[in-house]
Amino acid sequence: MDFVPTLPVLAAYVVAVLVITFTPGPDMTLFLGKAVRQGRPAGMAALAGALTGSLIHTILVALGLSALLAASTTAFFILKVVGALYLFWLAIDAVRNGSALSLEAGSGAPRETVAAAWAKGLAVNLLNPKIIMFFVTFLPQFVSASDPHAMGKLIFLGITFVAIAAPLCALMIIFAARLSDALKRSPKIMRAIDWLFAGVFGAFAVRLLTARQ
């Protein structure tokens, strides 16, 4: 199976995905907020929409980066360097500004259908420029510019991202109310997640930037 990365690369990727999954962002705010305000079905639908968006991003990124790699390995390497700098900026931003997560319960907003919640999850994922930038710069870090199977590996990594995130996020939705209460009672939990995110992605960025002269 040429599309499967080596074990060390895959292990590093899984660690990064786990950190990303537990770091609050637009997607998490949406599907947990839906679960708290409108119930678990709405939360699950919003999550399904967000994960659908992630798969679409994966396919588009794989096709685009494969074309870039075919045109110029130098351009692909430059993209990886830019991506490393972007990961480093994300690490700094996580420490400086923290995670923005609002899970206020309430009944003021009108209830949406499951289809509407799915569509909103898809839209938030597809239209968020930070998510687009993240996929474009994150996935290439785990593929070599000289790898003839780069496209297959990019798609495999994207599917792995969804396979890991889906069950973990579903558990968050099931316990959304308790999670919301815990985060309100202890802001230190959120700051610990911020520092974990910053540490992992800062380490990735430093390793990537010092890998070659």
Side-chain angles (χ1 to χ4, degrees):
M1 294 186 291
D2 296 328
F3 59 86
V4 178
T6 62
L7 186 58
V9 171
L10 188 58
Y13 180 75
V14 169
V15 171
V17 171
L18 288 172
V19 174
I20 295 168
T21 300
F22 289 110
T23 301
D27 289 351
M28 182 185 291
T29 298
L30 177 65
F31 65 70
L32 288 186
K34 291 288 185 187
V36 170
R37 292 189 295 269
Q38 300 183 20
R40 291 173 184 168
M44 292 292 186
L47 171 62
L51 294 178
T52 301
S54 295
L55 288 174
I56 294 174
H57 280 307
T58 295
I59 295 172
L60 294 178
V61 166
L63 292 173
L65 293 181
S66 295
L68 178 64
L69 179 56
S72 171
T73 56
T74 301
F76 188 81
F77 176 69
I78 291 173
L79 178 63
K80 292 186 73 170
V81 173
V82 172
L85 293 173
Y86 180 66
L87 295 180
F88 191 65
W89 178 83
L90 287 178
I92 295 174
D93 186 63
V95 173
R96 290 183 59 191
N97 301 318
S99 304
L101 182 65
S102 177
L103 301 178
E104 297 296 332
S107 56
R111 297 185 68 86
E112 294 179 329
T113 64
V114 169
W118 176 87
K120 185 168 288 187
L122 177 65
V124 166
N125 187 282
L126 287 181
L127 301 179
N128 189 310
K130 286 188 176 181
I131 295 177
I132 296 171
M133 182 68 176
F134 179 78
F135 269 88
V136 170
T137 57
F138 178 67
L139 290 182
Q141 310 303 331
F142 300 91
V143 177
S144 171
S146 60
D147 192 340
H149 308 288
M151 181 176 177
K153 287 183 177 178
L154 287 169
I155 293 176
F156 176 83
L157 291 173
I159 293 174
T160 301
F161 183 99
V162 172
I164 293 173
L168 294 177
C169 291
L171 284 175
M172 292 184 205
I173 290 172
I174 292 173
F175 299 102
R178 295 181 184 178
L179 178 62
S180 176
D181 291 339
L183 293 177
K184 289 175 185 175
R185 288 196 304 267
S186 181
K188 291 182 179 180
I189 296 177
M190 195 69 74
R191 287 305 291 163
I193 295 174
D194 291 334
W195 278 99
L196 177 62
F197 178 92
V200 171
F201 278 78
F204 270 120
V206 170
R207 182 179 67 83
L208 289 163
L209 290 173
T210 58
R212 298 185 187 182
Q213 297 297 326

